[in-house]
Amino acid sequence: MRQIGLALTVLVAAAPASTQEARLTEILAGGEPANRVELREMQGYVQELIERVLPATVSLPGASGVVIPNGYVLTAGHVSVSAGQKIEMTLHDGRVIEGETLGANHGTDTGLIKILSKGEFPTVPMGTTTSLRKGEWCLQLGHPSGAKIGRSAPARLGRVLHIPEGNGWLVSDCTMQGGDSGGPIFDMQGNVIGINSRIADNLAQNMHVPIDAFHREWESLDKGEVIGSMDRRGRSVRFGARYDRKHRGAVKVREVLPGKPAERDGVQAGDIILSVNGTDVKHRREMARLIKEAEDAVELEIRRDGKDVTVTVELRPGLPVMERNDRELRRLRQMRANDAVVSAFRGVVDRVNASTVPIMLEGDRVLLGTVVRADGLVLTKASELEETGLLCHIDGRNVAATWVGSDEDNDLALLRVGAKDLAPIEWADSVPSRGAWLASPDGDGLPVSVGIVSSAPYSHARGYLGVRIDRSSAPPRLDEVVDDSAASRAGLEADDVLLAINGTKLEKANDLRPALRAHPAGTEIKIRVRRGEEEFDVTAKLGFQTEASRQERVWGELSEVRAGFGTVIQHDTVLLPSQCGGPIVDLDGKAVGINIARAGRVETLALPRETVLAAVERILATSDK
């Protein structure tokens, strides 16, 4: 068994000096903490590990990377795409440095960047995949949804679920989403064991390029060799079907290739494909074009044995073949749902279950609430409720609740129930640092879910313009304008070229994101636009990003209001929207905040104590007038 040790300057294997250290080594190598003492030991180790490796994680335009010794940055091949491109990277400390893309392999998704800027940069060592064991704990970093002002690369804790033999994916249950691509996953010694590549619909299946692929391909990558090709959206197209060239009037499938998306998602030889994403197809070239233009999936209308059927094909490589009947693998499938881990939190949530109440509307449980005062005041999320017909489930019975008032800025509602001597929540003195365990009680026994603090509190009120741009354009050209966004209300259109924001020139596509970061939601910006031969100015009032992408809809329901808050705590606990409104507590069973939104696949947000208490006072002051 590998031993686990952590030093301030170098992470090395170390023999345990005590029974307690030996037990921690056993847990990190794949065991489960059994009680609060062991949870606290593991928490301290993970927190120190995060602080050691976080400075080497960098933000790339819409993606991530990690700095290794000798001036290199590891990333994903679909991020770096091709050799010889200049690229700006933002370090954890805010410094912006310049690099140049080297080689990439679009079959294995490896990518390499050379740092051109001068200076000293924090680095982390490359590990090996062969030394891993299924079930051992791991740590993933990246910038989901892109870098955000004031937010460090969020940390996610999980386990290794699958170790590839030869080519294939390293799989973990460290949850990822768009923007994490290219970021690192570490073993508990702080070695990079993989690079974030892609995700499955299952939250517990997150795929990483195994670090051994970089070792094997290093010479080729360093020389700037590019293997394979990408479509214009930066994704290898592997539909995996061959067509009958003699068939006329539609596209007939002659053969489906083993292990490719078409076979995996149910396309069969002999199928006649009538349409792709609602567009009729008459020829295989039309079929290929529509597949290339799709983002992550295509919906096919198929005639099969005289009947019309619909098949959705996810345009991603198949998952690695894993032992589907392996009980150990099923037990490890999602570490936060592991009964042994969750049971260790029993003593943590026992004291706060009485302060957590389910809220009912028309007979259905719609939210959780947090008791904030013994005389019947319950705080919860406002936007999921009506002002009448509310019940709170307290001490085994449903009690009528009346609406006291709301705080729109933070989407909070204060209710009053007809019950006395309630148990108000006990608040923690401060928010624990990154990597601290958190539990979300539901008022009945064990926590509904557990996770860790992903990043220090930050403002979630970043302004949103609502455009998608052609990444190869200079200055940035709009590919798409999101409906009912700040951009659409300002009159921007697809193919418009953005020349400047508030007088600052935009010379390349990568200039747009940092130009927008400086402006919070609600502020107005002046945009210089070129449309055809005409140049003119428009004014856009930035809003909040609330649209749910197709991927987010696939990943599950998100909170209706999930942006625009002030300061938030981001954690990697996966909650349903109906599980928001309740407290989230530390290992002492004290509330560090109230869960306010499921904002994305990996992004659950909580409002910290100071925000919550101030909102309660504002609501009470308004209701008394």
Side-chain angles (χ1 to χ4, degrees):
M1 179 184 298
R2 288 182 301 150
Q3 304 298 331
I4 309 297
L6 188 64
L8 291 178
T9 56
V10 181
L11 296 167
V12 296
S18 67
T19 302
Q20 189 176 38
E21 289 183 6
R23 174 58 181 150
L24 178 59
T25 297
E26 180 183 348
I27 291 170
L28 297 176
E32 287 108 358
N35 51 52
R36 197 185 322 191
V37 172
E38 292 184 353
L39 285 169
R40 204 177 297 279
E41 286 294 316
M42 184 178 179
Q43 171 179 285
Y45 187 95
V46 170
Q47 287 177 309
E48 190 176 352
L49 174 61
I50 291 173
E51 296 310 307
R52 171 71 181 110
V53 299
L54 180 61
T57 304
V58 298
S59 168
L60 280 63
S64 306
V66 63
V67 184
I68 61 170
N70 301 316
Y72 291 101
V73 173
L74 303 180
T75 190
H78 72 269
V79 172
S80 60
V81 183
S82 60
Q85 300 181 89
K86 295 295 190 294
I87 188 168
E88 287 185 347
M89 300 172 284
T90 304
L91 299 174
H92 173 65
D93 61 13
R95 285 182 291 164
V96 177
I97 60 176
E98 189 177 65
E100 182 177 358
T101 57
L102 298 177
N105 184 328
H106 297 304
T108 57
D109 205 22
T110 54
L112 190 64
I113 298 170
K114 182 65 176 178
I115 297 174
L116 301 179
S117 299
K118 304 297 182 183
E120 297 292 326
F121 310 110
T123 66
V124 287
M126 295 170 65
T128 65
T129 310
T130 53
S131 64
L132 298 175
R133 295 177 50 180
K134 185 189 298 181
E136 70 176 82
W137 293 84
C138 51
L139 177 74
Q140 186 258 316
L141 296 172
H143 290 276
S145 301
K148 296 181 179 179
I149 295 175
R151 186 191 74 174
S152 60
R156 270 95 3 120
L157 185 66
R159 298 195 194 243
V160 173
L161 297 185
H162 175 77
I163 304 160
E165 295 181 3
N167 292 328
W169 303 113
L170 175 69
V171 182
S172 81
D173 61 6
C174 294
T175 48
M176 301 190 305
Q177 73 180 48
D180 277 318
S181 291
I185 182 170
F186 298 93
D187 63 15
M188 288 289 103
Q189 294 173 277
N191 300 307
V192 182
I193 57 172
I195 292 296
N196 301 333
S197 178
R198 58 201 71 218
I199 57 177
D201 294 343
N202 186 336
L203 287 169
Q205 290 182 315
N206 302 272
M207 287 161 276
H208 319 270
V209 182
I211 198 65
D212 285 357
F214 285 89
H215 288 304
R216 289 193 302 269
E217 300 169 14
W218 186 264
E219 185 176 351
S220 170
L221 294 171
D222 196 23
K223 287 180 179 178
E225 296 178 0
V226 177
I227 300 173
S229 61
M230 305 292 289
D231 73 354
R232 68 180 182 88
R233 291 181 180 269
R235 172 182 42 77
S236 297
V237 179
R238 299 186 181 94
F239 182 73
R242 295 192 176 105
Y243 309 110
D244 184 345
R245 293 171 179 262
K246 297 179 180 180
H247 190 81
R248 297 290 182 267
V251 177
K252 186 175 182 179
V253 178
R254 175 170 59 86
E255 179 186 4
V256 290
L257 304 180
K260 299 299 183 181
E263 181 200 49
R264 183 198 61 232
D265 291 336
V267 177
Q268 300 176 12
D271 283 349
I272 297 174
I273 299 173
L274 306 175
S275 70
V276 177
N277 288 342
T279 300
D280 292 343
V281 291
K282 304 294 184 183
H283 195 277
R284 64 183 183 278
R285 285 195 294 270
E286 294 176 328
M287 175 93 174
R289 176 180 60 79
L290 291 169
I291 288 173
K292 282 188 175 183
E293 290 177 352
E295 290 190 358
D296 294 286
V298 288
E299 185 177 89
L300 308 177
E301 293 295 330
I302 290 174
R303 184 157 296 153
R304 178 182 297 163
D305 299 329
K307 297 180 180 180
D308 289 350
V309 297
T310 301
V311 174
T312 299
V313 177
E314 297 284 338
L315 299 176
R316 52 180 168 78
L319 297 178
V321 177
M322 296 188 279
E323 307 92 322
R324 298 184 185 279
N325 296 320
D326 185 342
R327 293 183 181 180
E328 179 189 10
L329 180 61
R330 292 203 303 270
R331 180 175 66 87
L332 299 172
R333 179 80 45 172
Q334 173 57 278
M335 71 94 178
R336 281 176 292 269
N338 185 318
D339 290 342
V341 175
V342 173
S343 293
F345 285 82
R346 185 182 300 278
V348 174
V349 298
D350 281 348
R351 62 189 297 174
V352 294
N353 276 326
S355 305
T356 309
V357 297
I359 297 175
M360 322 289 288
L361 179 63
E362 297 179 353
D364 295 325
R365 173 172 162 166
V366 292
L367 281 173
L368 293 174
T370 303
V371 177
V372 292
R373 243 171 47 180
D375 60 354
L377 290 183
V378 175
L379 196 65
T380 188
K381 184 175 174 67
S383 57
E384 306 283 342
L385 296 178
E386 304 290 339
E387 293 191 17
T388 59
L390 299 173
L391 299 172
C392 289
H393 191 74
I394 299 174
D395 293 332
R397 60 193 180 95
N398 290 334
V399 180
T402 58
W403 185 279
V404 177
S406 64
D407 182 86
E408 291 187 5
D409 289 344
N410 294 292
D411 197 26
L412 289 171
L414 190 62
L415 310 178
R416 187 181 297 278
V417 299
K420 303 297 181 182
D421 299 323
L422 300 182
I425 195 72
E426 185 177 356
W427 295 99
D429 293 332
S430 60
V431 177
S433 62
R434 289 178 288 256
W437 283 112
L438 295 175
S440 296
D442 69 353
D444 184 21
L446 294 175
V448 66
S449 193
V450 299
I452 64 169
V453 177
S454 291
S455 62
Y458 69 97
S459 174
H460 201 256
R462 182 179 62 169
Y464 176 64
L465 181 59
V467 298
R468 296 186 178 94
I469 62 174
D470 178 354
R471 291 288 176 188
S472 64
S473 59
R477 181 182 59 80
L478 303 187
D479 263 351
E480 181 183 352
V481 175
V482 176
D483 291 341
D484 196 29
S485 65
S488 66
R489 288 189 290 271
L492 293 178
E493 300 176 358
D495 291 325
D496 282 349
V497 176
L498 307 189
L499 303 176
I501 290 180
N502 286 353
T504 300
K505 289 184 178 180
L506 305 176
E507 296 183 350
K508 53 186 183 299
N510 290 343
D511 291 343
L512 180 59
R513 187 184 295 270
L516 291 173
R517 283 180 191 159
H519 306 287
T523 58
E524 291 187 345
I525 59 173
K526 185 172 75 173
I527 307 173
R528 187 69 177 174
V529 180
R530 184 171 68 227
R531 181 178 297 164
E533 300 299 322
E534 181 184 5
E535 289 190 13
F536 55 91
D537 292 327
V538 300
T539 298
K541 184 176 182 179
L542 298 178
F544 301 110
Q545 183 172 3
T546 57
E547 60 159 343
S549 68
R550 190 204 69 80
Q551 294 96 326
E552 289 170 333
R553 291 194 295 271
V554 169
W555 299 330
E557 185 182 0
L558 304 181
S559 297
E560 186 68 24
V561 175
R562 55 187 179 275
F565 314 109
T567 300
V568 296
I569 305 164
Q570 182 173 333
H571 53 96
D572 70 349
T573 308
V574 178
L575 297 178
L576 299 173
S578 60
Q579 294 165 336
C580 292
I584 188 161
V585 300
D586 61 17
L587 287 181
D588 293 321
K590 295 182 179 181
V592 301
I594 286 182
N595 286 316
I596 196 62
R598 185 186 183 204
R601 185 179 195 263
V602 306
E603 190 175 6
T604 300
L605 305 178
L607 299 176
R609 178 196 64 172
E610 292 79 3
T611 299
V612 170
L613 294 180
V616 171
E617 293 303 316
R618 285 195 298 271
I619 295 171
L620 289 175
T622 303
S623 65
D624 290 340
K625 291 180 181 179

